[in-house]
């Protein structure tokens, strides 16, 4: 390792049987693996839209507060009421976007060769509350061939963590690599 590189900190969860902790850790590592190791450029559209909605909510709350600060509570009551209603409408839009558009998508990435997009990968996943089985759906599209293949997998993600709750990246990366290889082979068989 060169002097400019730093070793990444190990990913650790306090309880490797807590599906919420496991899901959050694995989601981040899925993004890392496909972005850094497999060289997919990750799309941040869902995050950007949710951030935009959140910032708009904050500006509305800040504007309401500033207006009330400059006037009195009674004078600002109508404006504050309108701002509260708008805030909840924005929150409902954010919820609807997450539920109907984003769904369970964990990763969307595009692989480029010589600046030209050659393939896309979309990963969706769901984990049950008390289960270490992560139901993943990988969709791989070869843009030049116009073909898309899907592969559903159900890895036991608790096996990706050692007894202390530290993620064993080599184990996870190896399994993810085999899943991606299977997907690409499946594409070329069709």
């Amino acid at each position: 390792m060169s002097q400019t590189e730093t070793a990444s900190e190990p990913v650790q969860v306090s309880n490797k049987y807590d599906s919420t902790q496991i899901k959050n850790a694995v989601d981040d590592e899925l993004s890392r693996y496909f972005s850094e190791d497999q060289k997919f450029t990750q799309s941040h559209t869902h995050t950007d839209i949710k951030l935009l909605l959140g910032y708009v909510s904050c500006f509305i709350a800040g504007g309401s507060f500033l207006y009330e600060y400059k006037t009195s509570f009674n004078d600002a009551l109508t404006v504050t009421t309108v701002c509260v209603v708008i805030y909840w409408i924005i929150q409902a839009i954010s919820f609807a976007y997450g539920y109907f558009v984003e769904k369970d998508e964990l990763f969307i990435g595009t692989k480029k060769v010589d600046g030209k997009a050659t393939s896309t990968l979309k990963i969706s996943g769901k984990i049950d509350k008390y289960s270490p089985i992560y139901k993943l759906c990988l969709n791989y599209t070869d843009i030049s061939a116009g073909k898309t293949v899907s592969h559903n997998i159900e890895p036991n993600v608790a096996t990706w963590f050692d007894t202390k709750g530290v993620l064993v990246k080599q184990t996870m990366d190896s399994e993810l690599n085999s899943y991606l290889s299977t997907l690409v082979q499946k594409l070329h068989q069709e």
Side-chain angles (χ1 to χ4, degrees):
M1 188 176 340
S2 70
Q3 292 178 2
T4 57
E5 289 182 44
T6 58
S8 61
E9 289 187 31
V11 176
Q12 185 170 8
V13 295
S14 59
N15 179 359
K16 79 175 207 170
Y17 300 105
D18 179 2
S19 59
T20 303
Q21 287 185 35
I22 294 289
K23 181 183 182 329
N24 292 335
V26 169
D27 289 355
D28 291 343
E29 285 302 305
L30 280 170
S31 295
R32 176 208 53 85
Y33 175 75
F34 287 109
S35 295
E36 294 176 8
D37 295 359
Q38 293 296 325
K39 306 297 185 214
F40 281 91
T41 304
Q42 185 172 3
S43 169
H44 297 286
T45 304
H46 295 315
T47 305
D48 293 343
I49 289 171
K50 288 177 135 184
L51 279 172
L52 176 68
L53 291 171
Y55 284 134
V56 170
S57 296
C58 289
F59 285 127
I60 288 171
S64 174
F65 170 76
L66 186 62
Y67 184 72
E68 184 180 327
Y69 182 75
K70 295 286 185 183
T71 63
S72 67
F73 175 77
N74 290 333
D75 292 342
L77 190 58
T78 305
V79 172
T80 302
T81 304
V82 170
C83 287
V84 167
V85 170
I86 292 171
Y87 171 83
W88 284 110
I89 290 171
I90 291 172
Q91 293 306 305
I93 291 169
S94 179
F95 173 78
Y97 181 81
Y99 189 78
F100 294 111
V101 178
E102 184 181 22
K103 298 181 183 170
D104 296 322
E105 290 179 1
L106 306 172
F107 180 84
I108 300 173
T110 305
K111 189 174 274 195
K112 295 181 180 179
V113 176
D114 297 328
K116 195 173 185 182
T118 58
S119 58
T120 60
L121 177 66
K122 184 192 304 185
I123 303 173
S124 301
K126 194 171 189 173
I127 191 167
D128 293 329
K129 192 171 186 174
Y130 299 108
S131 173
I133 305 299
Y134 205 163
K135 298 170 187 160
L136 296 171
C137 178
L138 285 75
N139 291 308
Y140 184 83
T141 303
D142 185 341
I143 295 172
S144 60
K147 291 183 180 180
T148 301
V149 292
S150 295
H151 187 51
N152 293 318
I153 54 174
E154 294 187 2
N156 180 348
V157 292
T159 62
W160 294 353
F161 293 83
D162 65 14
T163 56
K164 295 179 182 175
V166 177
L167 179 73
V168 182
K169 288 184 182 183
Q170 297 83 2
T171 303
M172 186 188 100
D173 291 357
S174 173
E175 284 191 42
L176 291 175
N177 188 40
S178 71
Y179 300 146
L180 184 60
S181 297
T182 301
L183 204 57
V184 172
Q185 287 174 358
K186 192 175 179 182
L187 178 78
H188 295 296
Q189 289 174 355
E190 293 182 357

